[in-house]
């Protein structure tokens, strides 16, 4: 088995996640990563690419994205335009074909990491349309008859926010990992990546307050890692002492809670307790 | 333990997962063997746990079941686990490793009978829960069993990357219970479920360039540009929610409000209306939960056609008398249809209708619920129930159901 994924200096991965990456690379299947927003799904691809020293190609999926866009794009409008107004030679269709994210990774001279980000945003049929290409890592461009086959099978990482369920046939071909919300220990490591010289008391106090807040029942959007990191920046910037984090009223609550209802609920509670 | 022993343990993992309703496919199983063959488990039980989970499980809603099955299978493994892990290697090196599994799976499944397997599994699960509460036999951390972290068993194998909890302890902790699909989940997941109700159609103004037709028409036009526009695709589903509030629904208020906000924010419906009622519908529903702005049901019938989807949300839990009453008040003069009659009218007007009930379905034999189930397809207000509702709504109701609705209507008139 080749080198194991250990995370990188900036990206801390749990054992389960490292193991899932290793398995996906070893058995050459796409890695599907799901998890709460803000648990670093997208960053994972960058970390894997960095640790493998492979270039990363990112394919951001939107609600209108079609599967074929990841393979290639035939610019009919451009060709139409050229045929009418241009002085270019328009009989060569190949000149109007651009490879998409997967297509470029297939044709590349070295192994790439491809991130298919937020696959659940696309239409329900989108994943099914990619099944075959991800299986055999090759496709044909019908307009020109050209076959694009992977020189090096790319490492494919797919993220989903669970907005739509993915088809079973697609799931069966993936290695699956659900990114847990980090526990305190892991979170403390993550925070220290962003704030290497943070005082021990402040870190402990902030984590304590953060997890207490997250455990409040009925929050519409519980704060995630990035909000914690921002909050700690704000705390440090204004020199708030750790003791103040133990009280009922937290400073800069708006950095942690983004929903008005959540803010109102927590502040209301603080008043009652305080 | 023999090489066959390791094979046996793995097969029981496969069978128990399947018996517990995790759809492990042959393909998934082969991938698992492939990963083991490449040494992805790093010769530790902990590694084995992670490899098995990421290859065999495809949804966080199955993590909990997986944890239980894994704990159960490997708890029964003889204590010398070093031997088991060595056996894996041997078992995989066997020239017939991945092979003949398929026929043998089938043979064994037939021999055992899936139902029997499930029964045994459930029995043991129940037993396991008790033991866990007692806390003496189930494998944990720091003990003398070879399964724990920092344990002192002579033949124990190091588990986890130092300080991490052992696979079995992790499995035992059931941290993924919250992801189970049969449990009620949050707004976002409800919205995701509701979104599947959509029916995309092209209606409205021509706002989008229809590229294919433009190319075709331009070619037909001897190369002179001929632009063709078309309306964008939009969700064509219109949904009306009728929510029971107050009284016996109070304990479910939060759940219903989540469903409500999921439908409003995430549903993406062409049109969405919601009204409130208390206990049963008697001629009027209300625009607000304080029952201050009444809307006659007849007006709904006028404004909304039969293509609207109707979702009733309520516990359908009332005194049978309340179904036969003609209004919400005991003092009102008795004329017009009864509560059940009004419900039948609704069911008749909106064939694409369903009832979400927050009460667990073991209570659904109560007389009032029974009567209402004759009129509406009823589903539990859980993620699984919502899934079923979403699947069922686009279909017309069964003829028996239509028949029952008509019968109630005849009696009411």
């Amino acid at each position: 088995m080749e080198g194991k994924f250990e995370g990188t200096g900036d990206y801390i991965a749990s054992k389960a996640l490292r193991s899932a990456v290793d398995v996906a690379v070893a058995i050459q299947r796409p890695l599907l990563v799901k998890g709460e927003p803000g648990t670093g799904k997208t960053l994972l691809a960058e970390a894997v690419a960095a640790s493998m020293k492979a270039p990363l190609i990112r394919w951001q999926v939107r609600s209108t994205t079609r599967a074929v866009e990841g393979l290639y794009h035939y610019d009919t409008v451009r060709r139409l335009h050229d045929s009418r107004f241009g002085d270019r030679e328009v009989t060569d269709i190949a000149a109007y074909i651009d490879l998409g994210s997967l297509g470029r990774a297939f044709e590349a001279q070295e192994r790439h990491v491809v991130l298919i980000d937020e696959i659940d945003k696309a239409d329900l049929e989108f994943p099914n349309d990619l099944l075959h290409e991800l299986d055999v890592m090759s496709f044909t461009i019908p307009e020109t008859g050209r076959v694009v086959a992977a020189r090096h099978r790319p490492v494919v990482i797919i993220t989903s926010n669970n907005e739509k369920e993915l088809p079973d046939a697609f799931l069966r071909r993936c290695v699956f990992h659900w990114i847990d919300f980090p526990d305190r220990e892991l979170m403390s490591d993550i925070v220290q990546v962003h704030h290497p010289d943070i005082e021990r008391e402040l870190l402990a106090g902030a984590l304590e307050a953060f997890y207490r807040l997250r455990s409040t029942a009925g929050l519409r959007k519980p704060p995630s890692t990035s909000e914690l990191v921002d909050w700690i920046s704000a705390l440090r910037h204004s020199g708030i002492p750790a003791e103040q984090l133990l009280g009922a009223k937290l400073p800069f609550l708006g950095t942690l809670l983004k929903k008005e209802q959540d803010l109102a609920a927590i502040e209301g509670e603080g008043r009652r307790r305080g | 333990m023999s090489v066959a022993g390791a094979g046996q343990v793995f097969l029981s993992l496969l069978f128990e997962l399947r018996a517990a309703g995790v759809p492990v496919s042959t393909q998934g199983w082969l991938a698992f063997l492939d990963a083991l063959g490449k040494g992805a488990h790093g010769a530790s039980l902990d590694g084995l746990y992670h490899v098995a989970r990421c290859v065999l499980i495809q949804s966080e809603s199955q993590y909990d079941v997986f944890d239980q099955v894994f704990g159960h299978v490997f708890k029964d493994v003889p204590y010398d686990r070093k031997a088991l892990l060595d056996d894996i290697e041997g078992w995989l090196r066997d020239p017939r490793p991945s092979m003949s599994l398929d026929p043998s799976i089938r043979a064994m499944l037939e021999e055992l009978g899936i139902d029997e397997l499930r029964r045994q599994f459930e029995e043991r699960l129940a037993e396991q829960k008790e033991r866990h509460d007692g806390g003496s036999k189930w494998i944990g951390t720091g003990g003398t069993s070879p399964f724990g972290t920092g344990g002192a068993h002579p033949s124990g194998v190091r588990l986890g990357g130092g300080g991490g909890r052992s696979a079995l302890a992790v499995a035992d902790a059931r941290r993924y219970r919250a992801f189970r699909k049969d449990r009620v989940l949050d707004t976002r997941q409800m919205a995701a479920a509701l979104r599947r109700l959509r029916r995309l159609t092209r209606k409205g103004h021509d706002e989008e360039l229809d590229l294919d037709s433009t190319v075709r028409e331009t070619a037909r036009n001897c190369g002179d540009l001929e632009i063709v526009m078309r309306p964008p695709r939009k969700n064509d589903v219109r949904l009306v929610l009728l929510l029971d509030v107050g009284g016996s629904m109070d304990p479910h208020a939060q759940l219903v409000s989540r469903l409500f906000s999921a439908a409003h924010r995430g549903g993406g419906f062409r049109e969405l209306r919601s009204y409130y009622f208390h206990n049963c519908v008697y001629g009027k529903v209300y625009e607000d939960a304080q029952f201050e702005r009444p809307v006659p049901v007849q007006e709904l019938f006028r404004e909304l056609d039969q293509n609207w989807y109707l979702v009733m949300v309520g516990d359908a839990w009332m005194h049978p008398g309340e179904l036969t009453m003609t209004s919400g008040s005991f003092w009102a003069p008795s004329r017009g249809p009864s509560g059940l009659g009004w419900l039948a009218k609704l069911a008749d007007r909106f064939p694409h209708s369903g009832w979400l009930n927050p009460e667990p379905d073991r209570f659904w034999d109560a007389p009032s619920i029974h009567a209402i189930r004759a009129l509406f397809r009823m589903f539990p207000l859980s993620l699984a129930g919502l899934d079923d509702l979403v699947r069922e709504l686009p279909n017309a109701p069964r003829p028996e159901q239509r028949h029952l609705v008509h019968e109630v209507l005849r009696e009411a008139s």
Side-chain angles (χ1 to χ4, degrees), chain B residues 110-127:
Chain B
E110 272 161 14
E111 197 180 315
L112 276 173
I114 265 270
D115 289 335
E116 172 63 12
L117 213 55
R118 183 171 295 136
R119 194 187 58 74
Q120 283 184 8
F121 177 67
E122 277 165 0
E123 245 169 42
R124 279 183 216 177
L125 258 189
E127 190 191 350

Side-chain angles (χ1 to χ4, degrees), chain A residues 77-95:
Chain A
V77 174
R78 165 114 232 129
R79 185 160 173 241
L80 205 60
H81 178 272
D82 285 354
S83 74
R84 186 114 197 267
F85 309 109
D87 38 15
R88 264 174 76 178
E89 179 54 56
V90 294
T91 50
D92 182 19
I93 293 182

Side-chain angles (χ1 to χ4, degrees), chain B residues 231-387:
Chain B
R233 289 202 305 171
K234 275 198 189 131
N235 191 355
D236 197 33
V237 167
R238 299 160 196 260
L239 177 75
V240 54
L241 277 174
L242 288 188
L243 307 160
D244 182 1
V245 287
S248 57
M249 282 297 286
D250 279 347
H252 309 297
Q254 198 182 10
L255 191 55
V256 174
S257 103
R258 280 188 197 157
L259 174 74
F260 181 81
S261 57
H264 274 272
R265 288 187 308 154
F269 298 105
R270 174 127 181 233
E271 247 184 290
L272 173 66
R273 295 206 192 179
S274 42
Y275 299 98
Y276 299 89
F277 63 96
H278 181 52
N279 246 346
C280 192
V281 177
Y282 304 103
K284 272 183 287 205
V285 290
Y286 297 84
E287 278 179 30
D288 58 330
Q290 291 75 43
F291 303 116
E292 279 164 2
R293 294 197 300 276
V295 177
V297 175
Q298 292 296 356
E299 198 175 305
L300 287 191
F301 289 169
R302 256 200 313 281
E303 286 180 13
L304 317 179
D305 65 15
Q306 72 279 4
N307 290 324
W308 280 69
Y309 288 0
L310 167 69
V311 175
M312 308 281 298
V313 185
D315 55 4
W317 187 269
M318 50 196 102
H319 189 272
E322 289 179 294
L323 277 178
T324 51
M325 274 161 35
T326 57
S327 84
S329 154
F330 284 103
W331 318 112
S334 175
R335 54 193 161 78
S338 64
L340 197 64
W342 280 110
L343 292 179
K345 276 170 180 272
L346 282 166
D348 184 47
R349 173 65 181 187
F350 303 108
H352 298 292
S353 55
W355 190 296
L356 285 171
N357 194 331
E359 289 290 340
D361 50 10
R362 61 177 184 277
F363 297 130
W364 289 7
D365 285 333
S368 61
I369 301 188
H370 193 78
I372 288 173
R373 283 182 73 187
L375 304 179
F376 290 96
R377 292 169 278 189
M378 192 173 282
F379 307 91
L381 181 43
S382 66
L383 206 57
L386 205 55
D387 273 347

Side-chain angles (χ1 to χ4, degrees), chain B residues 82-300:
Chain B
K82 177 81 176 74
L84 168 72
L85 291 167
D86 288 346
D87 281 354
I88 298 177
E89 322 270 303
W91 185 53
L92 288 166
R93 267 196 306 274
D94 190 300
R96 302 165 282 119
S98 40
M99 56 354 163
S100 57
L101 274 185
D102 216 359
S104 77
I105 287 170
R106 211 171 299 128
M108 258 184 96
L109 280 178
E110 272 161 14
E111 197 180 315
L112 276 173
I114 265 270
D115 289 335
E116 172 63 12
L117 213 55
R118 183 171 295 136
R119 194 187 58 74
Q120 283 184 8
F121 177 67
E122 277 165 0
E123 245 169 42
R124 279 183 216 177
L125 258 189
E127 190 191 350
Q128 188 175 312
K129 205 182 288 165
E130 283 159 24
R131 283 189 195 176
H132 174 49
D133 291 339
S136 61
K137 288 188 190 169
W138 191 233
I139 300 127
T141 42
T144 51
S145 111
F147 290 88
T149 317
H153 195 275
S155 62
V157 175
R158 188 181 66 91
L159 285 179
R165 293 194 298 167
S166 83
L168 287 175
V170 169
D172 183 33
R174 301 197 56 189
R175 287 178 308 143
Y176 298 99
R177 197 191 299 232
F179 294 127
R180 288 187 74 113
K181 228 182 172 174
D182 44 2
R183 283 194 25 143
V184 173
L185 287 165
D186 63 12
T187 318
R188 185 184 183 78
Q189 270 145 319
M190 285 187 175
L194 284 175
R195 199 167 292 182
R196 263 175 288 138
L197 256 187
R198 69 183 187 167
R199 191 176 55 207
L200 293 173
T201 48
R202 295 190 185 278
K203 274 189 190 160
H205 299 290
D206 291 346
E207 293 166 352
E208 196 180 270
L209 176 69
D210 181 351
L211 194 57
D212 292 340
S213 303
T214 301
V215 171
R216 198 173 45 243
E217 290 306 313
T218 302
R220 194 167 293 164
N221 210 12
C222 304
D224 254 8
L225 258 188
E226 183 69 45
I227 302 287
V228 182
M229 303 293 283
R230 65 181 172 190
R233 289 202 305 171
K234 275 198 189 131
N235 191 355
D236 197 33
V237 167
R238 299 160 196 260
L239 177 75
V240 54
L241 277 174
L242 288 188
L243 307 160
D244 182 1
V245 287
S248 57
M249 282 297 286
D250 279 347
H252 309 297
Q254 198 182 10
L255 191 55
V256 174
S257 103
R258 280 188 197 157
L259 174 74
F260 181 81
S261 57
H264 274 272
R265 288 187 308 154
F269 298 105
R270 174 127 181 233
E271 247 184 290
L272 173 66
R273 295 206 192 179
S274 42
Y275 299 98
Y276 299 89
F277 63 96
H278 181 52
N279 246 346
C280 192
V281 177
Y282 304 103
K284 272 183 287 205
V285 290
Y286 297 84
E287 278 179 30
D288 58 330
Q290 291 75 43
F291 303 116
E292 279 164 2
R293 294 197 300 276
V295 177
V297 175
Q298 292 296 356
E299 198 175 305
L300 287 191

Side-chain angles (χ1 to χ4, degrees), chain A residues 123 162-163 171 176 178 180, chain B residues 54 60 63 176 192 195 198:
Chain A
D123 195 71
N162 244 355
E163 282 189 20
L171 288 173
F176 170 77
W178 167 268
D180 262 322
Chain B
C54 74
E60 69 280 8
Y63 274 8
Y176 298 99
R195 199 167 292 182
R198 69 183 187 167

